[in-house]
Structures are given as structure tokens and as C-alpha cells.
Amino acid sequence: MDIVTEHDRPSTPQEAVRIQETLRGLVELEDCCPQEIVTVTGLDVAYDEDSGLIAAAAVTLETGGFRVVEKRTVVSRISFPYEPGLFAFRELPPLLDALRALDHVPDLLICDGHGLAHPRRFGLACHVGVVTGLPTVGVGKTRFVGEHDEPGAERGSRVPLLDDGEVVGAVLRTQDGVKPLYVSVGHKISLDNACRQVLRLCPAFRQPETTRQADRLARDALKEAL
């Protein structure tokens, strides 16, 4: 899949912050994705800090029935230190390698991480979206920035995630009575559409099927590499 450009690889956290501040102006917050989303690729990583290994997985599913179209994994060395707000620089190299290995360009990417819901409004989902040019959504299991009210207990309930008075995402209940997810725009998709797509990808469980499968695949690849 020839869609991934090269990206800057900083040597210090200060350089990484400068890259984020430069690239965040390229994020598109409106729908520039296909009207009908047919294929979605889930992205996730697994770490082993003791060995210094990171495994990345890309799994493409059809939205109708969630048939696996293709899946790829890459295991490599962690190349950037642990720094809150800069996880993208650890995860991007293997994730982009996994995306490059796909044969088909998906309609949408789902990242296990945040997009605009980030201190510099440029989380992993934004970074992946900008360097690939693909519509991308960030789905976080926990809150990174902002404040919010509690959404209703029923599936589909949502409230805005606010940071310094700015809407940076939505807190979305994907199943009745379960903890909500934190959905934020990554690139080329509106927040409303991002929430619709995430809910569509969660027919039975809290997390999107794309994330569930990518998480399992990354963990298995890491286990095999140890």
C-alpha cells in the first residue's frame, strides 16, 4: 500500500514537540472520507520494556460482518523514550511499516489512542492521519486531557470532552452500562461521523472490533518475538 510518506524522527523530546506543533496545522476536521465506509483498519501496539521490543499490528475489517480482509504485524526496537504526550514517536515507525505492508488502502483508520484530545491537539491519531493522508479516528480507553460530564448509561450516549473550553472529543458509551470511550478526530473526519463509525464498530463489546483484533494480534506477535 503506497500511501505512507516518510516522517521526522526526532532525537530529543524538544524536537518531537516542535514537530507536533508544526504538523498540527495540517489536521483536517471535516469529512473528507468516503460517504460509505466499507473497510476500516485498526492499529495497535504492544510493548516489552525489558527487551526493548515493540510490536505493531494493522488489521483491516469489512464493516459489514467484520470479515478480516488482511492483517500485518511488525516487531522492532523501541526507538524513542517514554514521554507522556509523545507516544506517537515510539509507535509511528512500526505502525507505518505495518501499514505499508497492507495490500489495500482502507477507507478509515482507527487508532488505539487520542487525536485532538491531546495537550498540543496532535495525538497519535492526528499524526498517523497527517503522514498517511487517510481519515483517522482516535479511540482512547482513558482520559488524557479535558473534563466532561457523565454520559447516559445507555449505548450511544455521549457528552463533549472539553479542554480549556474547547471541544476536543466526545465521551461515548458504546454498550449499556460499561465505561465510555474517548473519541477524538485524527484527520479528515468530523467528530459526529467519528462517533458514528466507532459505535458501528462496537456491536457487542466496549472497544471497536478493529482495536480488539489489532490488540490481540500485536500481543501475539510480541510474545512470539520474545
Side-chain angles (χ1 to χ4, degrees), residues 34-206:
Q35 187 170 2
E36 183 181 2
I37 303 293
V38 177
T39 56
V40 181
T41 296
L43 302 173
D44 203 359
V45 300
Y47 294 97
D48 184 74
E49 298 288 350
D50 291 338
S51 66
L53 294 179
I54 179 173
V59 182
T60 302
L61 304 180
E62 291 180 344
T63 54
F66 304 114
R67 181 182 73 87
V68 175
V69 176
E70 56 182 329
K71 53 188 177 181
R72 301 288 186 270
T73 58
V74 171
V75 179
S76 62
R77 289 280 168 186
I78 298 171
S79 59
F80 195 80
Y82 174 89
E83 291 284 347
L86 299 176
F87 287 150
F89 295 96
R90 300 184 110 203
E91 300 182 2
L92 265 176
L95 282 175
L96 294 184
D97 285 343
L99 279 172
R100 287 188 186 99
L102 293 174
D103 293 326
H104 305 90
V105 179
D107 296 324
L108 181 67
L109 302 177
I110 301 288
C111 290
D112 181 36
H114 300 283
L116 286 184
H118 180 275
R120 286 174 291 280
R121 306 297 185 260
F122 198 73
L124 174 65
C126 294
H127 211 144
V128 170
V130 166
V131 300
T132 62
L134 291 177
T136 309
V137 175
V139 182
K141 295 183 286 293
T142 58
R143 177 170 56 92
F144 186 32
V145 297
E147 302 293 337
H148 62 88
D149 295 329
E150 186 71 10
E154 66 277 6
R155 169 182 160 85
S157 295
R158 62 183 255 208
V159 294
L161 177 64
L162 300 170
D163 190 40
D164 291 332
E166 178 184 357
V167 176
V168 296
V171 187
L172 177 67
R173 191 91 64 187
T174 55
Q175 299 296 327
D176 291 351
V178 304
K179 291 181 179 180
L181 294 175
Y182 293 84
V183 179
S184 56
V185 170
H187 190 48
K188 290 187 174 181
I189 192 167
S190 66
L191 182 57
D192 283 346
N193 196 6
C195 288
R196 283 197 299 272
Q197 299 304 327
V198 170
L199 199 60
R200 183 185 183 193
L201 292 167
C202 298
F205 298 96
R206 180 192 179 212

